[in-house]
Structures are given as structure tokens and as C-alpha cells.
Amino acid sequence: MGEQFDVVIVGGGQAALAASYFLRRTGLRYVILDNGTQAGGAWVHGWDSLHLFSPASYSSLPGWPMPDTPDGSYPTRDEVLDYLHRYEARYAPPIHRPVMVGRVERTDQKFLNVSTSVGDFLSRAVIGATGTWSAPFIPDYPGQGLFAGAQIHSSHYHNAVPFAGRRVLVLGGGNSGTQIMAELSLVAQATWVTLHDPVFLPDDVDGRVLFERATARVLGGPSAMPTGGFGDIVMVPPVRAARERGALHAVRPFVRMTATGVVWPDGQEEAIDAIIWCTGFRPALGAFAPLDVIEPDGLIRVDGQQAIREPRLWLLGYGSWCGPACATLLGAGRVARSMVRQLAAWLASPTQDVRL
């Protein structure tokens, strides 16, 4: 029989820290299980030159603002990591790491069992905060298995050094693909491949505007009308510089891959040394599969943040389907505040609705 808790948080990144900040005020007994070896969650794995596209004031967790950068620029990956390390030191959340969570299963009407590499944990509620970084998505292409060159997902890209002087395709028209393309264009024969023409936001529009628009779209109302979303490209300084030197011309996708490269829609073959897939992620929900809550589309249906088919499971940080902008540093905190309040009230209710 495992140790008993009111709440077990699976995952130790920004969403878990946001939930922890509010849980510590409730008196509930909780623990965070993180499969990483250090603070930082997905930020540990970001590429070296990664920049946020919001200022520090819009990139903070609850309780303690991220310090402004010395030069007033948007924070870098290393500055975010430093902030998250210091945030943990400041609030000392009850994190166990490294702990691999294998399965979350029903035991009875009171507890869920969280089976891990260090034993079992019994909990009255589980918060899923596993994020998406461990579930990178790479689309299938004809001939993909034939390609003898290098293929990596953006989650494994660190810097442009290994690609200097090589023929590289960068696939993906989001912010990750754009920032990586901007960097590679300085040292490699890089071609940018996107499904559609990239959408560049005005230079004065950054994550602050996108955050409020994303929130408005979820909540509705007149402020939901403006366009622009997290899939649009924010003109951070490296991207602006690449645009000014004419390096951000995108082409439509190839139709198949060969042993040495790709074939374009017009039938022309081109030799390629490497492909970097900046094609996004899927929610890392595998640990919750034994609860039979994952739908055919790979998501879990929720009412707010509470899973409909298993009310003891709550979700935070995966995307707008479980809270407006909750996959961002600031958004995770805003959603966690209301989620923890509702979770605490649900746990205190004598008539909890547990559907088995």
C-alpha cells in the first residue's frame, strides 16, 4: 500500500509549480513527481538561443515576478531556467525527482493509485501536468524511412554548429521553426518548409497581446474578435534580423523523401543532408491511459480542468483545451488559481461525483 496524499501532481515543470503555489495555501497534503533531474521542466531541453516572445513581466509564475533582463530584452532559455531554479528554492515545493510515473489507475471510490519507479502513491486526486515536450510529433511522409541523412525534432535541436555548411530543411511555420530557421540561415544552406505562407505579426505585437487574445477567445465577448494567435510568428530580434536579410522565404512541402533527399511538387529532386522537424508536440498523457479517459483525438475531455470520465483527474498546462493560455508561464498561474480553488472545494464536498 502506497503513501496516501490528497493530491499528487504528475510532472514538475511550470504548471506543477503554479499548482503547488496555490495548493500550499489549502492545507491539503500533496506531492509533485517529476521525471527530470533538475528544476525547469521542458525549458531544460530548449535550444541554446531560444527566446521568449513576451517580456519578463508577462512570463512569471504566481507570487514572484521574473526579474527583468539586464538589457530589457525578452528572456532567454537560460534566464528562464535560472528563474525556475530560484522559484523552487524560494517556495520549496514538495518535489520528488527523478521519479518516473508509469500508470495512474483506479483502486476504489476514494483513491487513485500512481505507480512509479520509486513505489506507489495513493491520492484522492491527481493533477496531470506532464506537458507535451516528451511527446514530439513528426508527420509521416512517403519514403521517410529511406532517408539516410540526419532527422531530428526541434526538441533535440541545440544549436546550429552541427549543421554549418550543410543542406538543411527546416519544417514548420510556428515560432520554433522560425527561430531555428533564422539561426540556421546564418551558417547553413537552409530551406524553410511550411504548409502555408507564414503569418508574421507586426513588430510591436508580442506575447502580451497574444495571451490576452487567447484568453478572450476562450472566454468570449467583444475582445475575442481580434486575430492573432500563438501559432503566429512573433518578431523577436533574431527573427527580425533574418527577415531584414531576406532569409525567411518559405516554400511548400515536398511530396516524398528519398535516400539522399526529397522530391518537390514539380518533380525535382534535391539532395539534403539534414531535416529538422519543427512540427509541434502532442499531450503526454500516456500515464493516464489505464483510466480509459483518452479520446480518439488523443485528448481528455474536461469540464474546466476536471476530467469528465474520471473526476479525480485534473489537467493543467497542455493547451487551451484545459484553460486559456495555460501552456504559458503566466497562463499556467492564472488557470491554477481557479483550478485549485475548485479542486479543494470538490475534495471537501461530502458528495463527490466519482464515476467508476
Side-chain angles (χ1 to χ4, degrees), residues 104-165:
V104 178
E105 301 173 282
R106 297 180 179 90
T107 58
D108 52 34
Q109 289 196 347
K110 185 173 183 181
F111 291 107
L112 294 174
N113 184 67
V114 183
S115 177
T116 82
S117 57
V118 297
D120 290 350
F121 296 76
L122 292 174
S123 187
R124 298 170 62 206
V126 170
I127 296 175
T130 52
T132 62
W133 200 266
S134 61
F137 170 72
I138 296 178
D140 290 327
Y141 266 89
Q144 193 166 8
L146 301 174
F147 182 61
Q151 292 188 68
I152 66 168
H153 190 270
S154 60
S155 56
H156 295 109
Y157 174 85
H158 297 294
N159 55 59
V161 173
F163 304 98

Side-chain angles (χ1 to χ4, degrees), residues 137-349:
F137 170 72
I138 296 178
D140 290 327
Y141 266 89
Q144 193 166 8
L146 301 174
F147 182 61
Q151 292 188 68
I152 66 168
H153 190 270
S154 60
S155 56
H156 295 109
Y157 174 85
H158 297 294
N159 55 59
V161 173
F163 304 98
R166 304 181 71 189
R167 298 160 298 184
V168 183
L169 299 185
V170 179
L171 277 82
N175 283 285
S176 295
T178 311
Q179 287 194 29
I180 291 174
M181 177 62 192
E183 180 170 275
L184 283 173
S185 66
L186 293 169
V187 299
Q189 301 175 48
T191 300
W192 191 21
V193 181
T194 65
L195 286 174
H196 312 286
D197 287 338
V199 178
F200 298 98
L201 293 169
D203 288 6
D204 60 347
V205 173
D206 61 15
R208 292 170 293 188
V209 176
L210 299 184
F211 179 88
E212 297 302 344
R213 288 177 178 175
T215 301
R217 277 197 294 274
V218 173
L219 300 179
S223 58
M225 295 303 293
T227 59
F230 283 103
D232 300 335
I233 297 165
V234 179
M235 303 306 292
V236 295
V239 173
R240 284 202 303 269
R243 178 194 61 190
E244 290 166 4
R245 64 175 182 269
L248 294 183
H249 172 68
V251 300
R252 300 295 77 81
F254 45 86
V255 294
R256 62 184 176 90
M257 300 169 66
T258 69
T260 58
V262 299
V263 178
W264 298 102
D266 62 3
Q268 179 181 353
E269 295 188 28
E270 182 177 1
I272 297 296
D273 297 312
I275 297 176
I276 301 175
W277 299 93
C278 305
T279 43
F281 301 83
R282 297 292 183 261
L285 301 173
F288 311 119
L291 299 173
D292 192 29
V293 293
I294 302 176
E295 303 290 341
D297 63 0
L299 304 182
I300 296 174
R301 296 291 171 263
V302 292
D303 179 5
Q305 288 75 52
Q306 188 176 26
I308 292 173
R309 293 168 61 181
E310 175 46 81
R312 291 172 291 187
L313 177 64
W314 299 65
L315 300 168
L316 177 65
Y318 297 95
S320 60
W321 57 276
C322 57
C326 70
T328 67
L329 284 156
L330 184 64
R334 290 191 181 181
V335 176
R337 179 188 293 109
S338 60
M339 183 196 74
V340 169
R341 183 172 59 248
Q342 295 167 24
L343 172 57
W346 185 80
L347 286 172
S349 171

Side-chain angles (χ1 to χ4, degrees), residues 21 59-67 82-91:
Y21 178 84
S59 307
S60 301
L61 289 172
W64 188 43
M66 182 184 293
D82 179 67
Y83 168 68
L84 294 175
H85 276 269
R86 290 193 287 152
Y87 190 94
E88 280 197 17
R90 182 184 183 94
Y91 292 111

